[in-house]
Amino acid sequence: MAEAVQEREQVLVEFNESLEQRIAERTFELRQARDEALAAQRIANENARLKSEFLATMSHELRTPMNAIEGFTSIMLSGMGGVEFNEKTGRYVQRVNANSKRLLGLINDFLDLSRIESGRLELANLPFSPRDAAMRWKEEIGVLAQKKNLNFEVSIDPDIPETVRGDEEALSKVALNLLSNAIKFTETGSVALKLESDDDAWRIEVSDTGIGIPMHAREFIFEEFRQVDQSTKRKYGGTGLGLAIAQRFVRSMGGTITVKSEVGQGSTFTVTLPATREPENVAEVIA
Ligand code: ADP
């Protein structure tokens, strides 16, 4: 009897020992897996940082010579440099000038994107007048609408605050991008810019009577390099960076950007911003 008890105790002890050993082994394996995951994450973060830094440096370096090409060809075309062309060379210089402008735009987009991604974007938080900004956008973009014979309507809610705090330059990039898209993707009808306001927010609404955006594309068009489909690029050009940058800028300002659309009828993009922006750490907001 005593022997049987002893034997059972022995079995129990051995069972406990093997259990403890298995737990220790499993704990070791889990720790190892956790350390490996942490190391992989550190490498991924470092790679992302290096990529953004590389893009920022490259864009900056490319901008300087491109500015020179654009600047000097503009001077030549304006006749200020005392350079004379015949009709053919004039056309060539015009092409160089137009393409350098396009390339500069692209480089600036890359620079914006890489600055945002690396958390190095510093947005201003200064007072500006939304009404005056809208008038400038109208002036800047109105000619494009005229060229395509589109109506361009601007309406400003009388309750819009006299001044709001924020980064006017960044917001102008957002608005001009939405407006130039609206014009680009509209063949007939109109494009409208509306400023609206309620208690604690104000909105920039850009609508058009253009080709519209299919349901499945309404989210991914805000991702980098995404366009509705391949035919968009063939027909309208563009890079698919504008909305990605616009969304990041708007989020950094504590706002949102949304789209409503009907294929063949048109689209409306709405940027909603807090009426007074509190100072905040942009890098944190983007993360
Ligand atoms: P890009 O205009 O350079 O292609 P964006 O990021 O500004 O890049 O826009 C991404 C895509 O979203 C466009 O290529 C187009 O397919 C679609 N899109 C944007 N705005 C409009 C609009 N107003 N009407 C129709 N499609 C639009």
Side-chain angles (χ1 to χ4, degrees):
M1 179 74 178
E3 237 173 60
V5 171
Q6 229 175 9
E7 215 170 272
R8 234 181 292 143
E9 274 177 0
Q10 182 60 28
V11 168
L12 220 57
V13 168
E14 277 172 16
F15 177 72
N16 270 344
E17 276 174 5
S18 101
L19 203 62
E20 275 168 19
Q21 195 182 345
R22 276 177 54 200
I23 289 172
E25 278 169 12
R26 192 77 193 112
T27 310
F28 178 74
E29 279 167 17
L30 286 173
R31 281 208 184 109
Q32 224 174 10
R34 185 200 58 190
D35 289 349
E36 277 167 18
L38 283 175
Q41 194 186 21
R42 267 196 299 273
I43 293 171
N45 287 345
E46 179 60 8
N47 282 346
R49 194 186 62 78
L50 286 174
K51 186 194 92 179
S52 299
E53 215 173 271
F54 171 74
L55 265 178
T57 315
M58 277 303 290
S59 311
H60 189 77
E61 293 300 318
L62 288 173
R63 225 152 54 130
T64 315
M66 201 43 73
N67 265 323
I69 297 172
E70 196 273 323
F72 283 115
T73 45
S74 289
I75 291 173
M76 286 159 79
L77 287 169
S78 71
M80 281 194 301
V83 189
E84 290 193 5
F85 313 109
N86 59 31
E87 199 249 323
K88 200 171 175 188
T89 45
R91 243 184 312 128
Y92 289 169
V93 178
Q94 199 118 39
R95 294 271 287 273
V96 174
N97 184 258
N99 278 289
S100 59
K101 279 196 176 114
R102 257 185 63 199
L103 206 49
L104 261 178
L106 195 60
I107 293 167
N108 285 338
D109 281 353
F110 275 131
L111 197 60
D112 279 342
L113 204 63
S114 55
R115 272 209 204 110
I116 296 170
E117 279 192 351
S118 63
R120 269 186 291 156
L121 173 79
E122 280 177 26
L123 288 179
N125 187 22
L126 297 169
F128 69 93
S129 154
R131 190 184 300 269
D132 292 351
M135 287 304 140
R136 274 193 290 277
W137 304 335
K138 182 186 173 189
E139 238 168 66
E140 205 163 312
I141 217 82
V143 271
L144 293 183
Q146 252 173 20
K147 267 190 196 162
K148 287 184 84 174
N149 269 333
L150 298 172
N151 264 338
F152 184 24
E153 298 146 15
V154 180
S155 67
I156 300 176
D157 180 349
D159 289 339
I160 204 88
E162 271 310 306
T163 52
V164 291
R165 290 186 80 81
D167 192 314
E168 188 181 347
E169 197 186 324
L171 198 58
S172 295
K173 277 189 189 168
V174 174
L176 291 173
N177 179 260
L178 296 180
L179 285 166
S180 55
N181 274 349
I183 293 169
K184 182 162 81 167
F185 295 107
T186 304
E187 292 314 321
T188 53
S190 60
V191 168
L193 165 67
K194 241 194 231 174
L195 294 198
E196 290 183 330
S197 164
D198 50 39
D199 285 348
D200 45 9
W202 66 288
R203 285 182 298 281
I204 305 168
E205 209 182 271
V206 174
S207 40
D208 63 61
T209 55
I211 59 172
I213 301 161
M215 182 75 131
H216 75 274
R218 281 178 215 158
E219 275 193 25
F220 72 62
I221 50 168
F222 290 96
E223 292 168 15
E224 298 152 36
F225 301 109
R226 297 295 298 270
Q227 299 180 310
V228 167
D229 55 37
Q230 278 304 313
S231 64
T232 313
K233 188 161 194 71
R234 277 197 302 276
K235 190 161 176 204
Y236 300 94
T239 54
L241 279 177
L243 287 178
I245 293 171
Q247 190 183 53
R248 283 166 164 87
F249 273 147
V250 171
R251 283 187 177 163
S252 313
M253 294 174 200
T256 56
I257 178 165
T258 52
V259 60
K260 281 191 189 143
S261 186
E262 209 161 309
V263 175
Q265 303 288 312
S267 313
T268 300
F269 285 83
T270 307
V271 175
T272 306
L273 293 155
T276 46
R277 190 167 86 86
E278 296 303 318
E280 60 201 10
N281 183 333
V282 169
E284 262 174 34
V285 174
I286 288 167

